[in-house]
Amino acid sequence: MKDPLDLLHVHPAADGSDESDASINLGAQDGRESSVSAEGGALVLRGDQSPADRLSLLVSWSGHTDAGSLSEQLSESLLGTLPHRRLASFDVDELFDYRSRRPQITFTDNRFSNFEAPSLELYEVRDALGRPFLFLTGDEPDYQWERVSTAVLQLVDRLDVKLVVLVDALGLPTPHTRPIGVTAHGNREDLIDGISTWGPSAQIEAGLSQFLELRVAEADRDVVGYTLHVPHYLAGGRFPHVAVSALEYAGAALELMLPTDELRESSRMVEQDISRQVAQNSEIQGMVDRLERNFDEYATPQQRSLLVKDDDAVPDAEELGAAVEAYLRHHDPAADAEAARTGAIQDLLGDSLKDPAGDSGTAAAPESGPDGAAPDGDAHDVPEDAPTEAPEHPESDPEEHDRP
């Protein structure tokens, strides 16, 4: 059997600087060394790690369960604002079916350029307080899931990873005017108990995220996953709310401070655009009204927050203030949050009255509805007999979507 780690190409850092990509040099800002080094073509820990300093691994990739363009937004937010170093890349030619998901290439005048190849890469990243963690991101492989999962597990063992967190998103029949729901899963009861707003029992189509979580759990390693619920009529576009929620759940589980400021601002602007366009279309407004009624009827009455301490004491103002001050000292947000709005909102809503199922992470609801979906509802069916007119809904505060 081939060595699973043969799928990896390790990137050594030269002279303390990062590769030629556009990454932020890990350690250039504060002089700290990377926690992981490349020796003999393999990744190893640099020195002994105390239990408190053990690395965690965050996993997010585009593909089967990536509604709202979650993976792309996470990658842009983390790698665009935090110090990081690319540690390794997977051999994409071994893992991808180019004909099933054809890459994009640019043609200008009489020349081709900018071939956008698939990728799957491992980074070491440092959060806003300087704490290191690992980040595996890119495109979900088509082939060799077992070998990819084994390679990840060997890295988890070799780098003594203390916790693996996977985040993904599904398009489900929930309204954009209500908090984003979540289904929490894994073997760390303290990080999933009381978190889920919907926990069905059903047989579903597997993605690599689900397969990897299974293999990590079978290896007796700590693993949790958070599947966010994106309104099915927005699942095919860029939905910043889901990225904010994912970063907050992941940050709370990993005990990291992850950047959400730009995404929150984008969420507010997208929220206003969506509300404005929904108000102009009576059919969509009626559909949202029905989803709201279902949500309010079947929503989980109480949800535990990962931000609450073990003794159920909410962090006091002094603790929160200190954390915010430390975050602001390290944070350097990009000036243009407008870029996150690319892709017209009209495109998001254009197919809202059609079958929401597709390749963007939209799933059928088994047996009982998610959050506010009626138990006998079908996630593939837009509610029928929607009223032609519905009362105008006040714009909701997007931060209501973002509380883990």
Side-chain angles (χ1 to χ4, degrees):
M1 177 180 178
K2 296 180 180 179
D3 184 351
L5 290 179
D6 286 344
L7 289 172
L8 284 177
H9 171 66
V10 175
H11 302 282
D15 300 325
S17 62
D18 206 6
E19 296 81 33
S20 58
D21 60 12
S23 61
I24 302 173
N25 183 11
L26 184 64
Q29 296 176 342
D30 53 18
R32 301 180 190 177
E33 285 188 324
S34 170
S35 299
V36 179
S37 63
E39 295 182 6
L43 296 176
V44 297
L45 285 173
R46 189 189 299 272
D48 296 329
Q49 300 286 313
S50 66
D53 294 332
R54 291 172 62 199
L55 294 169
S56 297
L57 171 63
L58 174 61
V59 180
S60 174
W61 40 51
S62 62
H64 178 58
T65 51
D66 189 39
S69 297
L70 171 60
S71 176
E72 180 182 22
Q73 294 185 81
L74 291 190
S75 180
E76 290 176 357
S77 180
L78 295 178
L79 303 181
T81 61
L82 297 177
H84 61 276
R85 176 192 157 210
R86 186 173 56 163
L87 298 176
S89 301
F90 279 81
D91 184 352
V92 294
D93 276 348
E94 290 277 342
L95 303 176
F96 290 92
D97 181 355
Y98 289 90
R99 293 190 300 174
S100 68
R101 291 184 291 171
R102 293 186 181 273
Q104 298 293 305
I105 191 169
T106 301
F107 181 75
T108 306
D109 295 329
N110 59 357
R111 293 180 182 274
F112 289 101
S113 62
N114 301 327
F115 176 69
E116 299 178 9
S119 65
L120 183 57
E121 298 183 318
L122 178 68
Y123 294 87
E124 180 183 352
V125 187
R126 194 166 284 148
D127 79 346
L129 299 181
R131 294 169 294 198
F133 65 98
L134 302 174
F135 181 39
L136 179 60
T137 186
D139 301 289
E140 179 187 40
D142 296 302
Y143 304 126
Q144 302 193 49
W145 284 10
E146 193 75 68
R147 197 171 170 212
V148 171
S149 299
T150 301
V152 173
L153 271 173
Q154 290 185 16
L155 289 174
V156 166
D157 289 336
R158 178 173 294 180
L159 302 179
D160 195 24
V161 171
K162 63 181 177 181
L163 175 65
V164 178
V165 174
L166 302 102
V167 290
D168 57 4
L170 286 173
L172 294 173
T174 61
H176 70 277
T177 54
R178 295 295 185 268
I180 286 183
V182 63
T183 300
H185 34 86
N187 59 12
R188 281 284 300 273
E189 293 297 328
D190 59 319
L191 298 178
I192 64 174
D193 187 39
I195 301 299
S196 295
T197 57
W198 181 53
S201 296
Q203 189 172 38
I204 63 173
E205 292 183 351
L208 181 55
S209 292
Q210 294 77 44
F211 183 76
L212 177 60
E213 181 177 322
L214 175 68
R215 289 292 184 255
V216 174
E218 289 174 344
D220 292 325
R221 284 285 186 169
D222 287 351
V223 59
V224 294
Y226 300 103
T227 300
L228 286 306
H229 307 162
V230 175
H232 66 268
Y233 50 94
L234 300 174
R238 190 179 176 97
F239 192 51
H241 301 69
V242 69
V244 173
S245 292
L247 285 172
E248 291 201 333
Y249 280 108
L254 297 168
E255 299 181 351
L256 299 170
M257 184 166 284
L258 304 178
T260 60
D261 283 4
E262 292 180 35
L263 287 168
R264 286 182 187 279
E265 182 60 28
S266 299
S267 295
R268 293 184 182 95
M269 293 187 290
V270 169
E271 183 86 26
Q272 292 170 3
D273 285 347
I274 293 174
S275 297
R276 189 160 46 246
Q277 294 194 43
V278 168
Q280 295 171 356
N281 188 311
S282 60
E283 289 185 273
I284 297 177
Q285 192 175 49
M287 177 193 69
V288 172
D289 185 55
R290 171 144 179 196
L291 291 174
E292 288 177 331
R293 291 197 302 270
N294 287 340
F295 183 98
D296 294 340
E297 182 176 358
Y298 297 103
T300 303
Q302 187 172 6
Q303 182 187 12
R304 183 174 72 87
S305 172
L306 284 174
L307 299 179
V308 176
K309 298 177 180 179
D310 293 338
D311 59 2
D312 291 330
V314 177
D316 58 31
E318 184 176 346
E319 291 176 273
L320 292 175
V324 170
E325 289 176 4
Y327 173 73
L328 293 176
R329 283 196 302 269
H330 290 78
H331 187 48
D332 183 22
D336 191 10
E338 182 71 17
R341 302 176 63 196
T342 55
I345 302 302
Q346 188 65 49
D347 292 339
L348 300 182
L349 296 173
D351 296 329
S352 61
L353 299 180
K354 301 177 183 178
D355 184 351
D359 297 331
S360 59
T362 304
E367 299 184 6
S368 62
D371 308 317
D376 57 351
D378 184 349
H380 290 277
D381 297 328
V382 174
E384 298 175 355
D385 303 324
T388 57
E389 295 185 1
E392 184 175 352
H393 305 294
E395 294 179 0
S396 62
D397 182 356
E399 294 194 7
E400 289 183 358
H401 296 262
D402 312 325
R403 298 193 184 108

